[in-house]
């Protein structure tokens, strides 16, 4: 009798487990599909945000590079102007010195009387 009761109880558990398995199986793929779709949507959104951020960083880097280039060009222009001014001043000074020597050579020597 104990074996008969044990067999009946085991059969009940087996049929209950067998009956529940198909009921959850079709629901699982729908849930999995929904999760996969949600994950795909999240991935697309993340990729779009990342792409936008990368574009923004690239624009910022380009603007910074242009600004640095402009500063470098301005410094080079300033340096060139300074060199031109220095050369012009040197030329003017040399002309003045030559003119002074010419005037000194043309002036008569002072006469010293005793």
């Amino acid at each position: 009798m104990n074996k008969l009761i044990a067999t009946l109880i085991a059969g009940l558990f087996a049929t209950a487990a067998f009956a529940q398995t198909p009921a959850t199986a079709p629901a699982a793929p729908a849930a999995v599909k929904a999760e996969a779709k949600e994950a795909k949507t999240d991935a697309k959104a993340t990729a779009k945000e990342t792409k936008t951020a990368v574009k923004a960083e690239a624009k910022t880097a380009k603007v910074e590079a242009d600004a640095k280039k402009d500063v470098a060009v301005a410094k080079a222009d300033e340096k060139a102007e300074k060199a031109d001014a220095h050369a012009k001043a040197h030329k003017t000074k040399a002309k003045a010195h030559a003119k002074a020597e010419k005037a000194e050579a043309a002036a008569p020597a002072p006469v010293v009387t005793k």
Side-chain angles (χ1 to χ4, degrees), residues 25-110:
V32 170
K33 282 184 180 180
E35 284 183 24
K37 189 174 183 178
E38 185 178 330
K40 187 176 179 181
T41 305
D42 287 345
K44 282 184 179 180
T46 304
K48 193 172 186 178
E49 289 174 6
T50 304
K51 188 176 179 181
T52 304
V54 168
K55 281 185 177 180
E57 287 178 15
K59 277 186 177 181
T60 304
K62 185 177 179 182
V63 168
E64 288 177 2
D66 288 345
K68 285 182 181 179
K69 183 180 173 184
D70 291 344
V71 168
V73 168
K75 282 185 178 180
D77 288 346
E78 184 181 334
K79 205 174 214 182
E81 287 176 7
K82 190 175 182 181
D84 288 345
H86 182 70
K88 189 174 181 180
H90 183 67
K91 187 176 178 182
T92 305
K93 190 174 180 183
K95 278 185 179 180
H97 185 66
K99 193 174 187 181
E101 283 182 356
K102 197 176 194 182
E104 190 178 301

